[in-house]
Amino acid sequence: MRDYQAQLEKLRTDVAECKLISDLATDKAKRDLFERLASHLTVLADQVETAMLERKVRDGT
């Protein structure tokens, strides 16, 4: 479960960094790219979190 937690934290950190880069970018294409990356990483983080919760329920912990 620690591996899942570590990956979740890494993904959430990456999301925050992509959002920051998107906010600071002066080039529209770069802004859009990093906003899409942030959205994609958010979906991945949500999936990891769901997997963690499902495993927790399944294992009864």
Side-chain angles (χ1 to χ4, degrees):
M1 191 65 87
R2 274 194 194 131
D3 292 338
Y4 283 122
Q5 188 64 39
Q7 286 301 314
L8 180 60
E9 290 173 12
K10 170 84 168 86
L11 286 168
R12 298 288 185 205
T13 299
D14 290 347
V15 168
E17 289 175 359
C18 285
K19 285 182 178 181
L20 178 62
I21 292 169
S22 177
D23 290 343
L24 296 175
T26 56
D27 180 82
K28 182 176 177 1
K30 193 176 282 189
R31 261 194 324 267
D32 293 345
L33 171 66
F34 280 95
E35 185 58 41
R36 285 193 312 272
L37 284 172
S39 295
H40 181 68
L41 291 171
T42 298
V43 170
L44 292 175
D46 291 345
Q47 289 174 341
V48 169
E49 193 168 29
T50 298
M52 288 173 60
L53 293 172
E54 287 173 353
R55 185 174 181 179
K56 193 173 189 179
V57 168
R58 184 184 70 229
D59 294 347
T61 58

